[in-house]
Amino acid sequence: MRIATVGGSALAYVLLNSGHELVEDLDSAECIILQADHDELPTLVEEVAPHVSKGDIVIHTSLTHGPQVLDPVEVRGAVVASAAQLRPDTWGVEALDEVGLTVAQVLISDSGGNVIELSGDTRGPLIARVAYSNITWYLAAWAEMDVVQEIRGVDVPLLPEVLPGEIREAYRYIEDIGQQQAYSDVVRLLTERGKLPDFRWTGMEWQE
Amino acid sequence: MRIATVGGSALAYVLLNSGHELVEDLDSAECIILQADHDELPTLVEEVAPHVSKGDIVIHTSLTHGPQVLDPVEVRGAVVASAAQLRPDTWGVEALDEVGLTVAQVLISDSGGNVIELSGDTRGPLIARVAYSNITWYLAAWAEMDVVQEIRGVDVPLLPEVLPGEIREAYRYIEDIGQQQAYSDVVRLLTERGKLPDFRWTGMEWQE
């Protein structure tokens, strides 16, 4: 299958493992994977819609959005689903109907990934946990890079970009006050190191 | 070679990769690997000393101690070195003489590990970086376990123990005030989650 990716997601690269072809042209793609930060995804879907034909598969990778954000391509006859990376080898899949769910499950399973089926109810509790896991992992990875740099005496490659909108959205799903504090502490540590340039975190509030 | 480990270190298990034999009896061991928290290592060395004969190899794995802490076994004729894990595949080696340095380097290299030679001067700047990398990694690993638990609905295995004395000692090596704050923030997050049971962290001070 011809796959195009906008925003370059881990999912797209996993799918290529099972023999699909990566193409640059959205019009010729049979499957489009969209990755964008929380606030940018709705606009991206609108921009991509004119390139989508009936029967095309469109998948977005945001955990803070459900599959509903893909409505503008779904009304054009696309099969849609969301598939967010929960762990390095595991994706949480949610769809508007059985067809979308099955297509996303088969695509990911055939490529060796694990699939968890999500719903509006089960996605919420995962959002904050996955976001906290991601930001603590960033913190740890940057700290390890600092060790490598001291040992080897050379600059090391940059890590994948942090998506500030996803991190801000996920905070809304944390109910426990202690966990809110832990989350904001880690976000502050990242901000102070210049890893979250687009937002300032002041106490419990995000300021753009 | 017959290797015994007291405290069970990653280094001992790496050495077994290259065909050495693990024994329980310290008296019959030709190489003893000691792993203990900062405050406990000197006592452990004293306890092990009667079991050490001339020509035995004794290696400790603490980064907050140099090889001098092994003096009580060195005066009994042992070849001594320290070999602390800096990264998953890399050890920082320090010895009192060329023989100790060479023996430790060869043992680790033959088992596929990388070796960095340390000295009193180069060990200091690494201590705080490695400790910060370790504690942020713990934080990230526990956060990921929380995701796994939510996905799978089962309890997950415990991670390796945090060594509170090592974490407290490493703090003394941090000179930058912002980094001191970041370090104490992460330590506090671990303490609040019950991962550092032996110490309380109050502001910038450790209290036992």
Side-chain angles (χ1 to χ4, degrees), chain A residues 6-207:
Chain A
V6 182
S9 71
L11 177 61
Y13 293 104
V14 165
L15 295 186
L16 296 181
N17 281 342
S18 55
H20 299 295
E21 179 192 0
L22 188 67
V23 297
E24 291 201 5
D25 177 20
L26 292 184
D27 292 307
S28 76
E30 295 155 296
C31 173
I32 301 176
I33 314 281
L34 303 177
Q35 170 151 314
D37 199 359
H38 181 85
D39 305 339
E40 294 150 14
L41 185 58
T43 308
L44 184 63
V45 175
E46 296 285 357
E47 287 171 3
V48 165
H51 304 280
V52 173
S53 312
K54 186 167 162 55
D56 283 354
I57 301 163
V58 181
I59 298 175
H60 79 73
T61 62
S62 167
L63 189 58
T64 53
H65 282 286
Q68 295 78 9
V69 72
L70 294 171
D71 281 345
V73 295
E74 201 263 345
V75 296
R76 293 177 64 91
V79 175
V80 304
S82 63
Q85 193 171 23
L86 304 178
R87 302 190 57 227
D89 60 351
T90 306
W91 275 264
V93 167
E94 193 175 347
L96 301 173
D97 53 31
E98 279 298 319
V99 177
L101 193 64
T102 303
V103 165
Q105 281 174 330
V106 168
L107 271 175
I108 294 170
S109 298
D110 281 356
S111 306
N114 300 312
V115 178
I116 308 281
E117 185 183 335
L118 299 182
S119 68
D121 287 346
T122 56
R123 195 162 49 87
L126 266 174
I127 292 175
R129 285 177 168 82
V130 170
Y132 185 67
S133 174
N134 285 343
I135 61 175
T136 53
W137 184 86
Y138 287 130
L139 201 65
W142 274 303
E144 179 168 342
M145 296 249 170
D146 194 37
V147 173
V148 174
Q149 200 161 1
E150 180 74 17
I151 292 176
R152 310 270 179 228
V154 292
D155 280 340
V156 286
L158 289 174
L159 289 168
E161 194 186 357
V162 178
L163 298 175
E166 294 275 324
I167 291 175
R168 182 204 62 217
E169 276 310 297
Y171 181 75
R172 304 189 202 280
Y173 291 86
I174 310 176
E175 292 174 358
D176 178 74
I177 290 175
Q179 190 62 29
Q180 286 177 344
Q181 187 62 52
Y183 191 90
S184 64
D185 281 342
V186 174
V187 169
R188 180 173 48 70
L189 289 173
L190 288 170
T191 308
E192 285 169 1
R193 264 143 204 78
K195 307 304 182 188
L196 281 172
D198 298 327
F199 287 87
R200 283 185 301 126
W201 181 262
T202 56
M204 287 293 170
E205 291 299 320
W206 285 102
Q207 287 196 334

Side-chain angles (χ1 to χ4, degrees), chain B:
Chain B
M1 193 165 62
R2 293 187 298 277
I3 295 179
T5 174
V6 183
S9 71
L11 176 60
Y13 292 105
V14 166
L15 295 186
L16 296 181
N17 282 342
S18 54
H20 299 295
E21 179 192 359
L22 188 68
V23 297
E24 292 201 3
D25 178 21
L26 292 184
D27 291 308
S28 76
E30 296 156 293
C31 173
I32 302 177
I33 314 280
L34 304 177
Q35 170 150 314
D37 200 357
H38 180 85
D39 305 339
E40 293 151 13
L41 185 58
T43 308
L44 184 63
V45 175
E46 296 285 357
E47 286 171 3
V48 164
H51 304 281
V52 173
S53 312
K54 186 167 163 55
D56 283 356
I57 302 163
V58 182
I59 298 173
H60 80 71
T61 63
S62 167
L63 188 59
T64 54
H65 283 286
Q68 293 79 8
V69 72
L70 294 172
D71 280 346
V73 296
E74 201 263 345
V75 298
R76 295 177 64 91
V79 175
V80 304
S82 64
Q85 193 171 24
L86 304 178
R87 302 190 57 229
D89 60 352
T90 305
W91 275 264
V93 168
E94 194 175 346
L96 301 174
D97 53 31
E98 277 298 319
V99 177
L101 193 64
T102 303
V103 165
Q105 281 175 330
V106 168
L107 271 175
I108 295 170
S109 298
D110 280 357
S111 305
N114 301 313
V115 179
I116 309 281
E117 185 183 334
L118 299 182
S119 67
D121 286 347
T122 56
R123 195 161 49 87
L126 266 173
I127 292 175
R129 286 178 167 82
V130 170
Y132 185 67
S133 173
N134 285 343
I135 61 176
T136 53
W137 184 85
Y138 287 130
L139 201 66
W142 274 303
E144 179 168 342
M145 295 251 170
D146 194 38
V147 174
V148 174
Q149 201 161 2
E150 180 74 15
I151 293 175
R152 311 269 179 229
V154 292
D155 280 339
V156 286
L158 290 174
L159 289 168
E161 193 187 358
V162 178
L163 298 176
E166 294 275 324
I167 291 174
R168 182 205 61 216
E169 275 311 297
Y171 180 75
R172 304 189 202 277
Y173 291 86
I174 310 175
E175 292 174 359
D176 177 74
I177 290 176
Q179 191 62 29
Q180 286 177 344
Q181 187 62 51
Y183 192 90
S184 64
D185 282 341
V186 174
V187 169
R188 180 173 47 70
L189 289 172
L190 288 170
T191 308
E192 284 169 3
R193 264 143 203 79
K195 307 304 183 190
L196 281 173
D198 298 327
F199 287 87
R200 282 184 301 126
W201 181 260
T202 56
M204 287 293 171
E205 291 300 318
W206 284 101
Q207 288 196 333
E208 292 194 49

